[in-house]
Amino acid sequence: MERNQVYNFSAGPSVMAEPVLRRAQAELMNFGGSGMSVMEMSHRSAQYAAIFAQTKEKLIRALGVPDTHAVLFLQGGASTQFSMVPLNLLPENGCADYAVTGHFSGNAAKEAAKYGSVHLAADTAADHHTRIPRQEELCFSDHAAYFHYCANNTIYGTEWQYVPRTDAPLVCDMSSDILSRPVNVSDYGLIYAGAQKNMAPAGLTVVIVDKRLAGKERAETPLMLSYQRMIEKDSMFNTPPCWCIYMLGLVLDWLEEQGGVAGMERLKAERAKKLYDYLDNSQVFQANAQPGSRSDMNVTFRTGSEALDAAFVKGAAEEGLLNLKGHRVTGGMRASIYNAMPMEGVDALLDYMKRFEVAHHG
Ligand SMILES: *Cc1c(COP(=O)(O)O)cnc(C)c1O
């Protein structure tokens, strides 16, 4: 198929905005008259240093990152943060609170338990992770070093629609909804996100950390996993993921042209509302996530029949609506509608769903 015949609903790595790819293509062989590609540049060169500094500045502007917080460009994916967070923030005899609302927050809690005591402030497993706990349900321990939660559950299709309140610093996995809405960064001790959902190609992990929390890592913390070291070295202790950082810069330019995170928030609400309104009135499909907990980024749904789900996914692919199969732990379908998904993609999906419904509603 040709690129213009396809809408890619992949959960990650995921669709990138076409103008971003076109610009990367135009600059690929010879960046800014340097005679070389960004891929070929020394990370210590003046030219690359400018790309790095500008990308960081753009991210600070897009999210309104205050001076108290450092922006780090790391590697290892969001999953490395599952261990980097406790190594740096959880004292030997300390305790950390975790809300388990899905697959990745469960993994984060398990990893932290290797380093200290983990208290589950909430666990929605009994509800098959179809909902987000309410503030009143969260049960915090007395002297937690931090409270960790995952803002958007990519696999289950649920999203926190409020910022939880507790005395401990908030640590938030925003891998799949960062840059989709404004956030008050000062509310957080630490935010982390793998880039490959809403920011850039895989290989970059963004960390935004309150500098006052850094510098207390355990003695055995690997150098590469020390926030303090990375803050001191401005993420250049070793070679950073240069190309992904450059791509993030292009994405942030595009984002600004689209009205920034406020513009993204309007668009995502519109995209998601179309799908959920349809699902709630469908005779064939049901949304998995409960109202009030639904993700605007990953819409999960099913027909109730595995055979029909498979037919739906297959038929969709034949029309160029790709990667709609749900994660293996949930089954069913998942439409990931990140920032870069054009409204036309959602409309094409809806059109297909309606035709599928007419054909299969007996
Ligand atoms: C994809 C994802 C992860 C895992 O990210 P990696 O970069 O593959 O380690 C963790 N948390 C959330 C919320 C995700 O969506």
Side-chain angles (χ1 to χ4, degrees):
M1 281 187 197
E2 297 294 324
R3 182 172 178 90
N4 62 12
Q5 297 176 312
V6 158
Y7 291 108
N8 176 11
F9 292 93
S10 167
S14 46
V15 58
M16 307 232 12
E18 187 159 331
V20 169
L21 294 176
R22 294 236 176 267
R23 198 172 146 199
Q25 182 182 42
E27 295 177 349
L28 183 69
M29 299 301 287
N30 181 359
F31 177 84
S34 62
M36 61 176 89
S37 175
V38 174
M39 285 187 219
E40 303 170 292
M41 286 179 185
S42 162
H43 60 296
R44 309 277 180 206
S45 66
Q47 203 146 24
Y48 187 75
I51 294 172
F52 184 96
Q54 283 160 14
T55 302
K56 200 165 104 172
E57 203 41 55
K58 287 175 209 170
L59 187 61
I60 287 169
R61 227 181 312 130
L63 286 174
V65 180
D67 290 343
T68 43
H69 288 55
V71 171
L72 301 177
F73 292 143
L74 308 181
Q75 304 193 48
S79 302
T80 296
Q81 294 307 307
F82 299 168
S83 21
M84 193 160 173
V85 164
L87 274 167
N88 285 264
L89 306 186
L90 181 56
E92 297 274 355
N93 299 314
C95 169
D97 288 343
Y98 277 72
V100 175
T101 56
H103 177 79
F104 294 112
S105 51
N107 281 356
K110 265 185 241 150
E111 188 69 9
K114 291 182 186 169
Y115 300 101
S117 156
V118 163
H119 166 79
L120 296 191
D123 182 354
T124 52
D127 297 309
H128 305 286
H129 300 309
T130 57
R131 68 180 195 94
I132 296 295
R134 295 182 307 278
Q135 173 74 41
E136 315 82 76
E137 291 177 84
L138 300 173
C139 160
F140 297 109
S141 53
D142 276 343
H143 298 288
Y146 59 87
F147 169 53
H148 179 285
Y149 74 107
C150 175
N152 183 72
N153 297 286
T154 321
I155 292 176
Y156 291 91
T158 59
E159 188 170 14
W160 292 66
Q161 281 156 26
Y162 67 98
V163 178
R165 273 172 291 108
T166 174
D167 294 336
L170 292 181
V171 173
C172 187
D173 178 354
M174 287 193 194
S175 293
S176 50
D177 69 352
I178 194 165
L179 295 177
S180 74
R181 61 193 164 92
V183 288
N184 183 12
V185 174
S186 301
D187 289 343
Y188 297 88
L190 190 146
I191 292 167
Y192 65 87
Q196 69 274 22
K197 317 287 168 62
N198 227 359
M199 290 193 283
L204 166 66
T205 312
V206 169
V207 172
I208 302 170
V209 56
D210 187 330
K211 287 177 268 191
R212 292 164 292 194
L213 293 178
K216 296 178 202 116
E217 70 276 8
R218 292 165 183 230
E220 74 271 24
T221 304
L223 278 175
M224 283 294 293
L225 298 186
S226 156
Y227 293 124
Q228 185 63 25
R229 170 69 50 149
M230 285 299 183
I231 292 169
E232 284 162 9
K233 297 289 179 184
D234 197 12
S235 307
M236 293 247 196
F237 172 64
N238 70 329
T239 318
C242 303
W243 171 256
C244 296
I245 294 165
Y246 157 76
M247 288 298 292
L248 173 59
L250 301 193
V251 168
L252 289 166
D253 285 345
W254 171 82
L255 194 113
E256 199 174 309
E257 287 161 22
Q258 309 298 307
V261 289
M264 289 299 120
E265 186 176 43
R266 279 190 299 276
L267 279 172
K268 81 168 179 140
E270 196 184 327
R271 279 190 294 258
K273 186 174 185 321
K274 280 188 187 186
L275 287 173
Y276 288 120
D277 281 353
Y278 168 68
L279 288 169
D280 284 342
N281 291 296
S282 168
Q283 306 295 312
V284 166
F285 302 104
Q286 305 102 50
N288 290 356
Q290 299 180 25
S293 297
R294 291 171 170 175
S295 168
D296 285 349
M297 297 277 105
N298 311 95
V299 178
T300 54
F301 57 100
R302 63 180 69 243
T303 64
S305 147
E306 277 183 33
L308 212 50
D309 287 351
F312 176 84
V313 170
K314 183 164 176 283
E318 284 161 8
E319 299 201 12
L321 305 169
L322 303 184
N323 296 312
L324 284 163
K325 192 172 172 356
H327 191 275
R328 63 187 181 281
V329 310
T330 57
M333 280 78 74
R334 169 173 58 178
S336 296
I337 46 173
Y338 297 120
N339 284 352
M341 173 58 68
M343 199 60 74
E344 294 77 22
V346 174
D347 293 337
L349 173 59
L350 270 173
D351 181 66
Y352 169 66
M353 289 172 84
K354 287 174 187 166
R355 281 183 282 118
F356 188 90
E357 173 155 357
V358 170
H360 292 91
H361 182 51

